[in-house]
Amino acid sequence: MLGALFFVPQLSSDQVGPGFHVVLGNEACDIDSMVSALAYAYFLSKTAPGEMLVLPLLNIRQSELRLRSDSVFLLRQAALSLDLLIFRDQLDLRALQRASRLRLTLVDHNVLPSSDSDLEEAVAEVIDHHQLEREPSPTCPVTVETVGSCATLVTERIIQKAPEILDLQLAHLLYAAIVVDCVDMSPAAGKVTPKDSQYAAVLENRFPALPPRGALFQELHKAKLDVSGLNTEEMLLKDMKAVSGSLNLSVSVIYISLQEFLQREDLEAELSGFCQKYGYDLLLLMTIFFTESKEPIRELGVFSHSTTCREQVSQYLEQAQSPALNLSPLSSPHSHISAYHQGNSLASRKKLLPIVKDFLTMWDGYGCSRDGEDEPSQVPPTPMNSLVEGSPLDNGPPCITSQALEEKFSQMVNRTDL
């Protein structure tokens, strides 16, 4: 059913070809972002036919998919071939933009990162569940509602506008995203809303063959927490979002205890190398693990070689009230890492990011350099995708023909075996 939507050729701006309507998820590319992009692109392909090809784009490099172990598990469970996915390093959005052949729909985020600001003119629609940051525009419809999962809003759109396209495979993906983002629909987790519950129930009622909710959540949760075999860089990239301003920060969710993470060999050297490689001034390390009774334990690490930078960010987070993180200092074996127990276990990264962005807005007159000197920061431009070192197309686009794309697209649309 969904398969061929996900394959895209790399076309240069001087090639003749169709326009592309790209549905773009956020840079974390978690299950909610991935499913929202896949499902909404499929919806558009069925309800808004035209000359433009509708394509979902996963906002990571192809090589990074293995770090999203829960996403890989879900795609295989739903019988969706990984070979048919499209990744950020397989499509030159800037070339399409220059050729006036790009239309963008954003899902699971409502503003482009500064590294993609030159694509803003192509943004034609937004569907998101985060805090609204986008300026209103008559040419760009915006659906932003603070539900637990963006997939809830995509499910709502499909149910209201084209319920006939919903089959078991698509329902499986949407249902999994809602259940995961809403923490098994548990009110105690503080994420689920009445609308999430409503559309999860709609999917359950229409498709009794869906996996049992609790078992599905546990399977995906177990897959997500599997960090076996990952090095420090891969653990940081596994679930990371970047925030840019006068400073460049990354916020990584790490699925082991902070104490265990801080004991990794040569950790400070590896964190320093990560900052240098990807252009970050500071790293926020949000660790999460669970008690035997499945209660979440959250901890927070702040890394920077600049004392001023690290202390200013730490102080701001300690004093935050919207929401209060309830941070309590923990002992750290590293001089450049401040460690905390986070008393407010409901404050996920989604709730931390607005605090970080507020801090960057207030940051004035201070800075931190990568050599540890407390001086105004001279931050280089953020890479095209903050998960990668530079433009993934620096070495030229892959040679994939328009004919190959058309064949794959036909393969997807006509699939009835799933």
Side-chain angles (χ1 to χ4, degrees), residues 9 31 46 55 81 90 174 193 233 244-245 260 271 308 381 401-402:
I31 283 181
K46 293 297 187 180
L55 302 164
S81 173
Q90 295 177 320
L174 291 166
T193 70
E233 178 177 344
S244 297
E260 182 179 351
L271 296 181
T308 299
T401 66
S402 298

Side-chain angles (χ1 to χ4, degrees), residues 255-318:
Y255 298 96
I256 57 177
S257 72
L258 186 57
Q259 180 180 13
E260 182 179 351
F261 185 74
L262 294 179
Q263 297 302 318
R264 295 178 72 89
E265 187 175 358
D266 299 323
L267 179 63
E268 278 209 42
E270 291 185 312
L271 296 181
S272 296
F274 185 87
C275 288
Q276 184 175 8
K277 181 176 181 179
Y278 296 103
Y280 293 117
D281 300 292
L282 183 138
L283 308 179
L284 291 178
L285 315 167
M286 295 193 73
T287 69
I288 182 170
F289 59 101
F290 295 82
T291 66
E292 291 184 359
S293 59
K294 301 179 182 179
E295 294 296 323
I297 303 296
R298 293 187 184 272
E299 296 165 325
L300 185 65
V302 184
F303 169 81
S304 177
H305 275 294
S306 165
T307 302
T308 299
C309 183
R310 187 175 62 257
E311 289 182 350
Q312 291 288 325
V313 171
S314 297
Q315 182 179 17
Y316 195 85
L317 296 176
E318 290 173 12

Side-chain angles (χ1 to χ4, degrees), residues 183-194:
V183 195
D184 201 17
M185 317 307 288
S186 170
K191 289 191 172 184
V192 65
T193 70

Side-chain angles (χ1 to χ4, degrees), residues 14 28 33 119 169 206 211 229 277 288 306 321 386 392 405 414:
D14 59 352
S33 180
L119 301 176
Q169 185 189 47
R206 287 194 57 176
K277 181 176 181 179
I288 182 170
S306 165
Q321 294 298 319
S386 61
L405 169 65
N414 294 322

